[in-house]
Amino acid sequence: MHQPMPTDAKIFVAGHRGLVGSAIMRRLESAGFANVLTATRDELDLRDQGAVDEWFVTHRPDYVFLVAGTVGGILANSTRPAEFIYDNLMIHGTVVHASQSTGVTKLLYLGSSCIYPRHATQPISEEQLLTGPLEPTNEWYAVAKIAGIKLCQAYRRQYGADFISAMPTNLYGPNDNFDLASSHVLPALIRKFHDAKTTGNPRVEIWGTGSPMREFLHVDDLADACVFLMENYSDDMHINVGTGVDLSIRELAQKIRDVVYPEAMLDFDTSKPDGTPRKVLDVRRLRDLGWSPTYDLDRGIRSTYEWFLQQHTSNTTLRGMN
Ligand code: GFB
């Protein structure tokens, strides 16, 4: 079922300034979509149902990419649980509800691979949702993300709304967050190796044991998959988006070291949490629809570091670089 979005359709990207939202903006622009709607945090508090309803009635989007939310790495998730559960529950609820009540043609909701049980069988298929306990370092965020999937399913079931859910693996790329207290591992390590090189420090601290396994998807691949799913997928089952390939945090650190600061040595701080031991997605459902990623990790790390350097030297706004 291929149902392309008309190029003059009104498309709302909720969260357009974030890592994912900005990549979707680039993808829509390059495909010639001329009517893309956005709202900054100051213009619209997505946690406020009244404000969101009013915005939807005024702007009447046809398609919605729901990629807004409070996100962060393992430390932010474990230390700011209230923000992670409240903000995300509210944002998912208001946008899904307003989309249904104003007759949005289709909505894509973005979750996260942390929705799956901590000890899920690898690679993780979609069917493993709610089959076991969650990883404690991110259960608040995961519960909100699971509620988002259930919202889409409930509105589909009760109202026939065409709302779909995509579950991406760990993401990285331009516009990522480089603040060491709230970032994910890949941007954190780019920044740590870069700072160590700049200050001449030969040692770089890596959190945990280095043994957890993670899968990384470039955000431009994710944006491409989101547009693909919007046009080619309509089902109440959420769908995984990833590469299906993982590596250890130690191997990731070595790759980043080789690009940024080859002389550096790695120090593992085992007082910091490892999080879930392994998280690689089963991506057969998406591959069977005909989509696969284009970036390999080495190219993605190089281009993300180039982007980081450009932001750094041009002194423009770089999240976490103050
Ligand atoms: O990317 P990350 O923060 O999130 O951490 P998760 C991945 C692994 O990298 C963990 C290790 O084992 C970290 O201990 N790590 C090593 C580091 N050095 C660093 C560092 O300097 N910074 C960070 N952040 N990690 C998140 C979830 O889990 O993944 C979210 O908390 C979300 O809910 C996201 O699902 C995609 O992969 O462990």
Side-chain angles (χ1 to χ4, degrees):
M1 178 229 46
H2 178 60
Q3 286 190 319
M5 291 185 283
T7 45
D8 62 349
K10 284 194 196 176
I11 305 173
F12 177 35
V13 180
H16 71 288
R17 283 186 167 164
L19 171 68
V20 175
S22 59
I24 291 180
M25 295 295 288
R26 290 194 294 279
R27 175 68 181 76
L28 292 173
E29 194 185 331
S30 74
F33 291 100
N35 219 341
V36 180
L37 308 173
T38 59
T40 63
R41 226 169 264 213
D42 290 342
E43 289 162 350
L44 177 62
D45 181 350
L46 290 171
R47 298 169 302 180
D48 177 345
Q49 186 74 66
V52 172
D53 284 346
E54 203 179 307
W55 190 94
F56 270 73
V57 167
T58 305
H59 296 279
R60 297 263 161 201
D62 302 309
Y63 294 86
V64 174
F65 288 93
L66 175 45
V67 299
T70 293
V71 299
I74 195 164
L75 184 66
N77 264 271
S78 8
T79 53
R80 292 162 42 207
E83 283 170 65
F84 276 79
I85 194 163
Y86 177 79
D87 289 358
N88 290 304
L89 276 177
M90 296 303 284
I91 291 170
H92 305 157
T94 63
V95 175
V96 166
H97 189 72
S99 295
Q100 192 279 323
S101 63
T102 58
V104 160
T105 305
K106 191 158 183 178
L107 173 145
L108 179 141
Y109 160 71
L110 198 76
S112 163
S113 59
C114 70
I115 58 161
Y116 293 112
R118 173 178 163 82
H119 293 297
T121 307
Q122 310 288 324
I124 311 173
S125 64
E126 287 85 355
E127 288 77 13
Q128 293 196 58
L129 181 65
L130 294 174
T131 56
L134 297 165
E135 155 62 32
T137 56
N138 60 34
E139 66 176 309
W140 319 97
Y141 179 71
V143 164
K145 285 285 159 194
I146 293 169
I149 298 176
K150 292 293 163 193
L151 270 168
C152 291
Q153 289 175 345
Y155 278 69
R156 174 180 286 272
R157 198 162 292 188
Q158 186 170 342
Y159 303 116
D162 194 358
F163 296 170
I164 59 170
S165 301
M167 296 304 118
T169 191
N170 289 30
L171 303 168
Y172 70 98
N175 289 319
D176 212 336
N177 172 13
F178 289 86
D179 171 14
L180 296 182
S182 56
S183 56
H184 291 97
V185 61
L186 197 151
L189 294 188
I190 286 183
R191 179 165 184 188
K192 283 181 175 177
F193 281 104
H194 177 81
D195 287 353
K197 183 165 117 180
T198 310
T199 57
N201 179 356
R203 312 197 76 89
V204 170
E205 184 193 274
I206 317 292
W207 294 351
T209 59
S211 62
M213 303 289 289
R214 293 289 184 277
E215 172 190 7
F216 296 92
L217 180 71
H218 192 280
V219 73
D220 285 342
D221 275 334
L222 175 71
D224 190 61
C226 287
V227 173
F228 175 86
L229 288 169
M230 192 66 113
E231 298 188 330
N232 292 283
Y233 188 72
S234 179
D235 200 293
D236 79 345
M237 176 62 102
H238 56 282
I239 183 162
N240 290 341
V241 187
T243 63
V245 177
D246 61 350
L247 77 173
S248 71
I249 295 301
R250 177 187 293 275
E251 288 166 323
L252 175 75
Q254 288 164 344
K255 278 184 186 293
I256 297 175
R257 176 197 62 192
D258 292 348
V259 170
V260 179
Y261 184 18
E263 300 78 22
M265 282 172 290
L266 314 183
D267 275 342
F268 289 90
D269 177 359
T270 52
S271 70
K272 295 285 195 309
D274 269 345
T276 203
R278 191 170 180 211
K279 196 167 52 163
V280 62
L281 292 178
D282 182 338
V283 290
R284 276 177 297 180
R285 187 179 294 260
L286 181 55
R287 276 185 202 272
D288 288 350
L289 288 174
W291 187 89
S292 50
T294 59
Y295 270 84
D296 77 18
L297 185 56
D298 294 301
R299 173 161 82 98
I301 290 172
R302 279 196 306 276
S303 66
T304 304
Y305 184 48
E306 278 160 24
W307 182 88
F308 171 91
L309 286 175
Q310 274 165 16
Q311 304 300 306
H312 205 33
T313 48
S314 67
N315 216 8
T316 49
T317 315
L318 179 59
R319 280 192 291 159
M321 288 304 294
N322 41 19

